[in-house]
Amino acid sequence: MTGFMCSLRIPVFLRPYVYGSFGRVYGVNFEEMKHEDLRYYETFNKFFTRELKEGARKIVSPMDPTTITSPCDGRVLSFGEIDTMDSTIDCVKGRSYRLDEFMLGVRDDEDKSIPALIKKVAERGNKLFSMVIYLAPSDYHRFHSAAICNAEYRRHIAGYLDPVKPAYVNKHKDVFKNNERVNLFGDWTHGFFLTSFVGALNVGSIKLTFDPKLATNQANPKEPYLYDSAYATNK
């Protein structure tokens, strides 16, 4: 229902009032938008996924393969090292998930691929870290590559769209594990690289510019609930 309503065309004269009210409530920075005239955005979806002005987010040494940056606006909820299957992604205190469940969507104690991945990272003399970033309603809702990396494989895990606000996650178990998400597996200059996009209440659609076949937020996803795709290396 939210997706339908947000896709409806808003009359031009109403757009400044609708978007302006939303922006004042949630603290949207209108000055950094590529198109500052609010009448430009035909639907709320287009306003919500608005582009930013060139240079609004500066990256130090963007062509340096060792440079890493945030893939999106938002607040860091957690950051930490992953060195075993069970030390996984600590999204919020007391809400940790096994690496296989989060990355693959299934718990398989017979699968040796994840332990082998961790072992390979260690053999390179590297460490594997995770970071969880929460996007608030006021944030810029596009995401970008966090580094110069390759996307070689995609796993789409259909699931729920529970709220991901820290206050909700603190009281409800397994939100990040059960929510719909799209995981991109690849590598960068230091080895393995994974990016995960997690859907949430009223923000369920995930789109990739280089993967038109990806279809998220379906009312009746077909079985199985895992959808895979291999890429011929997309940077």
Side-chain angles (χ1 to χ4, degrees), residues 55-202:
R57 300 288 182 273
K58 294 185 179 180
I59 301 174
V60 176
S61 304
M63 301 311 294
D64 183 345
T66 64
T67 289
I68 190 167
T69 185
S70 173
C72 61
D73 280 359
R75 178 159 61 95
V76 175
L77 295 185
S78 69
F79 172 79
E81 183 180 352
I82 298 174
D83 55 10
T84 68
M85 176 77 81
D86 296 318
S87 70
T88 56
I89 300 161
D90 190 9
C91 297
V92 180
K93 187 176 181 180
R95 295 288 184 266
S96 297
Y97 310 117
R98 281 171 50 114
L99 204 55
D100 54 353
E101 290 178 310
F102 188 83
M103 292 170 62
L104 304 176
V106 293
R107 180 167 181 163
D108 188 357
D109 293 318
E110 301 299 323
D111 185 6
K112 304 300 182 182
S113 60
I114 303 301
L117 166 65
I118 297 173
K119 181 180 178 181
K120 187 176 180 180
V121 170
E123 289 175 345
R124 288 173 61 107
N126 293 339
K127 294 183 178 181
L128 187 62
F129 289 89
S130 69
M131 177 180 289
V132 179
I133 304 173
Y134 165 68
L135 280 75
S138 62
D139 287 324
Y140 164 66
H141 266 74
R142 294 188 179 221
F143 45 81
H144 305 266
S145 176
I148 298 176
C149 59
N150 299 324
E152 299 173 345
Y153 170 78
R154 176 258 289 165
R155 171 157 285 204
H156 167 207
I157 303 166
Y160 300 106
L161 291 173
D162 284 348
V164 295
K165 284 186 63 174
Y168 183 89
V169 175
N170 274 327
K171 298 178 181 179
H172 297 80
K173 188 178 180 181
D174 295 341
V175 171
F176 285 88
K177 186 179 74 175
N178 293 334
N179 270 22
E180 182 164 17
R181 58 193 178 279
V182 174
N183 294 340
L184 293 183
F185 296 76
D187 59 60
W188 70 314
T189 188
H190 291 301
F192 177 72
F193 201 97
L194 171 79
T195 306
S196 181
F197 311 106
V198 183
L201 180 67
N202 297 330

Side-chain angles (χ1 to χ4, degrees), residues 17-30:
Y17 298 101
V18 174
Y19 306 144
S21 298
F22 178 88
R24 284 189 292 273
V25 170
Y26 288 103
V28 173
N29 185 348
F30 294 107

Side-chain angles (χ1 to χ4, degrees), residues 4-36:
F4 172 76
M5 295 295 293
C6 291
S7 297
L8 294 177
R9 187 177 183 277
I10 298 176
V12 176
F13 76 94
L14 282 179
R15 294 172 192 173
Y17 298 101
V18 174
Y19 306 144
S21 298
F22 178 88
R24 284 189 292 273
V25 170
Y26 288 103
V28 173
N29 185 348
F30 294 107
E31 295 181 357
E32 66 182 12
M33 300 190 309
K34 181 177 181 180
H35 302 283
E36 292 190 42

Side-chain angles (χ1 to χ4, degrees), residues 194-224:
L194 171 79
T195 306
S196 181
F197 311 106
V198 183
L201 180 67
N202 297 330
V203 191
S205 297
I206 302 167
K207 297 182 180 181
L208 301 177
T209 56
F210 58 85
D211 188 355
K213 293 182 180 180
L214 176 63
T216 64
N217 198 17
Q218 301 297 300
N220 295 295
K222 299 177 181 179
E223 292 294 337

